[in-house]
Amino acid sequence: MNCPSCGKELFDNGEECFSCPFCGAEIAAVKTSQAETVDERLARLEKENERLRMICKIESQGESDHFWNTDSIFSMSYRQSAREALARGDLEAAGRALGKAEKASNIGCLLQMIALVIFIIVLCCAA
């Protein structure tokens, strides 16, 4: 659905009335399941599918970072930004934030590996 005030595309989460996150206009969602065409329904379901995939990516990245103990404040912040973008219905911004979170996680992993290699070299030189 689109906001009648600013024209941005929104996701209503099944709510009957909500505020547009972009312009603040009050929007009353109209249930038009019989009036929507097959193409509109397909587009809506594809967008919802993409949104659910993005949620899975965000949560799986957080679980893997927690398991390997490579979670940093930067990757957590970017994942939170991705969650907020999804709440607004902005899939592109969520994808960009998720990419940044993955890069921050990889940098954290690399720094831990470098610290481990330095520790091993110091141990070998001290012996």
Side-chain angles (χ1 to χ4, degrees):
M1 98 180 288
N2 291 331
C3 176
S5 297
C6 64
K8 299 272 186 170
E9 192 170 3
L10 304 173
F11 180 74
D12 66 358
N13 284 335
E15 299 172 6
E16 293 181 9
C17 184
F18 60 97
S19 297
C20 174
F22 299 104
C23 66
E26 286 293 318
I27 300 171
V30 179
K31 302 296 180 196
T32 58
S33 58
Q34 280 90 9
E36 79 180 346
T37 65
V38 174
D39 291 335
E40 291 172 341
R41 182 179 176 120
L42 181 63
R44 181 178 56 83
L45 291 175
E46 284 176 349
K47 183 165 181 149
E48 176 63 15
N49 189 27
E50 184 62 31
R51 189 181 77 80
L52 292 174
R53 279 191 197 137
M54 191 71 65
I55 289 172
C56 283
K57 286 180 185 178
I58 291 169
E59 298 310 321
S60 68
Q61 187 183 64
E63 289 172 6
S64 110
D65 283 353
H66 181 72
F67 178 77
W68 293 109
N69 198 21
T70 59
D71 211 8
S72 69
I73 190 74
F74 300 108
S75 63
M76 288 187 290
S77 173
Y78 287 131
R79 279 197 307 274
Q80 184 60 34
S81 296
R83 287 184 189 103
E84 291 168 358
L86 281 179
R88 294 194 305 266
D90 191 357
L91 292 174
E92 294 170 2
R96 286 191 305 269
L98 189 59
K100 289 178 183 178
E102 187 173 345
K103 185 184 285 185
S105 175
N106 291 341
I107 290 171
C109 184
L110 180 65
L111 291 175
Q112 284 185 349
M113 293 298 289
I114 290 172
L116 181 64
V117 168
I118 290 173
F119 179 73
I120 291 172
I121 290 172
V122 168
L123 267 174
C124 288
C125 291

